[in-house]
């Protein structure tokens, strides 16, 4: 995974990060950003699940007099992280696809786009395509590469290092604060259905 993160940080290829809720998808996207040429900026993160239709209309605006509101102009020369891309309705998926397929729209406005697009989803987008909930052409456009984040139940070796990291932060680096051996065993054997979000 570290090799893939390194490769993605050097590339502007479009990436989908998928996996169960709480498996660290946003953390992984931020890691890629902080190793990229855009690391000196805060990434532009858009959570489609939390936006009203009015907010979405602004993000996908085509009015050339107000393009500063447009999602691609706002994230130009930066990383664009699209959270919960599966929650976009077909109507807004078509708007997103329009901009991805029509670079000339921006070139005509003397705008040269340069961004890294990372899309995050809890769902299997191929299944969503089969159900008619996601546009296949959009999937093709945003998935030059894919990374799947595994649940903690399938990566138990990561549990103790994650605990150590957060315990160190909470205790201010003190080595006197630690879990007992029996507690660590229980924590490592637990299934953590909420994954990292539940662990911390």
């Amino acid at each position: 995974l570290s090799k893939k993160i390194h490769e993605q940080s050097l590339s502007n290829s479009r990436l989908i990060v998928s996996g169960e809720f709480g498996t660290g998808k946003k953390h992984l996207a931020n890691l890629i950003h902080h190793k990229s040429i855009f690391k000196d900026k805060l990434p532009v993160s858009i959570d489609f699940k939390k936006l009203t239709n009015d907010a979405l209309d602004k993000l996908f605006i085509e009015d050339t007099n107000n393009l500063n509101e447009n999602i691609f102009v706002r994230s130009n020369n930066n990383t664009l992280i699209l959270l919960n891309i599966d929650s976009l309705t077909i109507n807004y998926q078509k708007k997103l696809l329009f901009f991805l397929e029509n670079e000339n729209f921006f070139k005509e406005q003397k705008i040269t786009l340069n961004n890294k697009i990372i899309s995050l989803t809890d769902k299997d987008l191929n299944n969503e395509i089969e159900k008619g909930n996601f546009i296949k052409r959009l999937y093709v456009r945003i998935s030059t590469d894919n990374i799947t984040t595994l649940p903690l139940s399938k990566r138990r070796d990561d549990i103790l290092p994650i605990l150590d990291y957060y315990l160190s932060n909470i205790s201010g680096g003190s080595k006197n604060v630690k879990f007992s051996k029996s507690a660590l065993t229980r924590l490592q054997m637990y299934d953590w259905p909420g994954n990292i979000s539940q662990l911390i």
Side-chain angles (χ1 to χ4, degrees):
L1 183 59
S2 58
K3 181 182 177 184
K4 200 123 186 183
I5 290 171
H6 177 69
E7 289 172 352
Q8 282 296 323
S9 69
L10 299 176
S11 164
N12 268 10
S13 64
R14 294 168 186 162
L15 172 69
I16 291 180
V17 181
S18 58
E20 291 180 12
F21 172 77
T23 51
K25 296 184 293 295
K26 187 175 180 182
H27 176 68
L28 192 148
N30 281 316
L31 251 177
I32 291 170
H33 170 77
H34 289 302
K35 291 177 178 290
S36 75
I37 59 171
F38 307 128
K39 62 186 177 185
D40 293 333
K41 299 179 179 179
L42 286 173
V44 176
S45 294
I46 307 290
D47 189 344
F48 289 132
K49 207 170 190 175
K50 297 179 178 178
L51 298 183
T52 63
N53 285 351
D54 285 344
L56 287 167
D57 286 336
K58 286 182 180 179
L59 289 179
F60 297 120
I61 194 166
E62 295 179 44
D63 180 0
T64 55
N65 293 318
N66 293 290
L67 275 185
N68 284 341
E69 299 278 352
N70 182 280
I71 190 171
F72 291 100
V73 176
R74 283 177 58 181
S75 64
N76 199 16
N77 297 309
N78 204 346
T79 302
L80 174 59
I81 301 174
L82 304 177
L83 292 87
N84 297 303
I85 193 164
D86 53 89
S87 68
L88 270 183
T89 62
I90 294 293
N91 178 44
Y92 288 110
Q93 287 179 39
K94 287 179 180 178
K95 290 177 182 288
L96 177 58
L97 183 61
F98 168 80
F99 292 116
L100 291 172
E101 291 187 331
N102 293 279
E103 289 187 8
N104 283 339
F105 173 83
F106 295 101
K107 287 180 180 177
E108 287 169 3
Q109 306 306 313
K110 307 277 192 290
I111 299 171
T112 302
L113 293 180
N114 177 34
N115 49 25
K116 170 77 173 181
I117 302 173
I118 305 176
S119 303
L120 311 185
T121 178
D122 294 349
K123 296 183 179 178
D124 182 331
L125 291 184
N126 284 306
N127 284 345
E128 294 303 300
I129 290 168
E130 288 180 12
K131 293 176 185 175
N133 296 333
F134 204 82
I135 300 172
K136 186 173 183 179
R137 265 175 41 224
L138 176 57
Y139 177 80
V140 171
R141 288 288 179 179
I142 62 175
S143 62
T144 306
D145 205 351
N146 293 269
I147 294 177
T148 300
T149 54
L150 296 175
L152 276 180
S153 59
K154 293 184 179 177
R155 39 191 267 234
R156 294 188 181 279
D157 288 347
D158 290 342
I159 293 173
L160 296 187
I162 292 170
L163 285 170
D164 284 342
Y165 172 79
Y166 283 102
L167 189 61
S168 176
N169 280 350
I170 292 168
S171 66
S174 171
K175 293 183 179 179
N176 295 324
V177 182
K178 55 186 178 181
F179 290 103
S180 67
K181 286 185 179 180
S182 61
L184 287 173
T185 300
R186 287 190 177 190
L187 289 166
Q188 197 167 24
M189 295 306 296
Y190 185 63
D191 278 342
W192 298 109
N195 293 299
I196 294 171
S197 296
Q198 182 183 11
L199 180 65
I200 59 176

